[in-house]
Amino acid sequence: MGKRVFNFSAGPSVLPLEVMEDAAANLTNYKGCGQSVMEMSHRSKDFQQIIDDAEANLRKLMNIPDNYKVLFLQGGGTLQFSMVPINLLRNSRKADYIVTGNWAKKAAEEAEKFGDIKVIASSKDENYTYIPKINRDDIRDDADYVYICLNNTIFGSHFPYIPETGDIPLVADMSSCILSEEVDVSKFGLIYAGAQKNIAPAGVTIVIIREDLLGFAPENTPIYLDYKTHADKDSMYNTPPCFTIYIAGEVFKYLDRLGGIKKIHEINVKKANMLYDYIDSSDFYKAPVRKEDRSLMNVVFVTGDEALDKKFIAEAKERGLINLSGHRILGGMRASIYNAMPVEGVEALIEFMKEFKEAN
């Protein structure tokens, strides 16, 4: 077997090695029960323990208040673009969106099918290289909710502040930054995240929803698209993605052993600073995002020459630094340095960047 590469993919992305090795050791016979988690009935005692522990450990890591439900759903972040407006447009049927990248834009477009959606701020004018500042006065008084994408995976930007929405629920897509930094869950009405960046393989979507927001889906809502369906059945309305939930639970335990989110955030800041500091100090590479709005998870950079960017990506791959190409709508390079990317991976990338600069 060849040696492992440093995988800078934006998702599905790198997972903690010790979690994968432990899962491999338990793959065919989970903790001596004689079967794999992949084969296990979701109604079994063994799986009930897995999902209960996963929820308890996530609650501990994120300090989730008791009046919030934790749901393990399917359909990725994309299904949440629909479920959020279906469930939360409950009074005025108005919602205000801040569009800071591709996924927030898609979310707003999908929400338009269900109500009066207003984009109250956008950074499209500068190709999503900054986060617009909004305050309570920018939000319609009767909006049912305000929507943000906290970290913009494609463009490498991140909200440096949590918008003040008063008593209007704030909804956040945290797919690419969940568990990377401490957040005050009580400031949000609903948080969701696809698992395939910081949590687990693709297949489960975590939804953290305040209980008073449940039960407002219209009567004709397909049963599966009503959050209450899943909340009432503790995410067991139908067969959940058992194996993905198991890996998520193991990642939560791993982060807890490491010292929790505070500790992983320190490591993330160190990794990102190393990379941005090198980019900023070089006259060869450029990071387009405004300094105060830069993502710790997705570092976007370019040389300014498309052919050179392609050469960089190809030569990096030969060095075992893979998936460094930027998203197809943006080009350039993107190093996704999620929680599980070791510091050594970032060091190896910087070393290669220096050599590539010298040679070109």
Side-chain angles (χ1 to χ4, degrees), residues 266-283:
E266 284 168 17
I267 298 167
N268 289 334
V269 168
K270 178 186 173 182
K271 289 187 298 192
N273 283 349
M274 282 165 59
L275 193 44
Y276 284 123
D277 288 350
Y278 172 67
I279 291 166
D280 290 341
S281 70
S282 87
D283 48 8

Side-chain angles (χ1 to χ4, degrees), residues 182 255 257-269:
E182 292 181 298
L255 288 172
R257 288 195 299 275
L258 205 64
I261 296 181
K262 192 174 195 294
K263 181 63 184 169
I264 197 70
H265 182 246
E266 284 168 17
I267 298 167
N268 289 334
V269 168

Side-chain angles (χ1 to χ4, degrees), residues 137-191:
D137 297 339
D138 300 311
I139 301 163
R140 290 181 289 183
D141 284 338
D142 58 347
D144 282 332
Y145 65 89
V146 177
Y147 182 103
I148 62 170
C149 179
L150 198 66
N151 186 77
N152 299 285
T153 324
I154 294 176
F155 294 92
S157 66
H158 178 279
F159 270 80
Y161 72 104
I162 303 299
E164 206 44 75
T165 60
D167 55 358
I168 298 171
L170 179 62
V171 174
D173 173 357
M174 292 192 192
S175 293
S176 56
C177 63
I178 194 167
L179 302 178
S180 69
E181 61 189 328
E182 292 181 298
V183 293
D184 179 354
V185 174
S186 70
K187 288 198 156 132
F188 300 86
L190 186 151
I191 291 167

Side-chain angles (χ1 to χ4, degrees), residues 126-146:
E126 290 181 33
N127 203 28
Y128 303 121
T129 52
Y130 72 99
I131 300 292
K133 299 281 184 285
I134 72 128
N135 57 47
R136 182 63 185 80
D137 297 339
D138 300 311
I139 301 163
R140 290 181 289 183
D141 284 338
D142 58 347
D144 282 332
Y145 65 89
V146 177

Side-chain angles (χ1 to χ4, degrees), residues 25-36:
N26 280 286
L27 189 64
T28 59
N29 186 353
Y30 174 70
K31 294 192 172 169
C33 76
Q35 58 181 332
S36 172

Side-chain angles (χ1 to χ4, degrees), residues 10-15 153 175-177 194-200 338-339:
S13 57
V14 60
L15 285 166
T153 324
S175 293
S176 56
C177 63
Q196 65 274 18
K197 300 169 194 295
N198 256 343
I199 296 176
Y338 297 120
N339 285 352

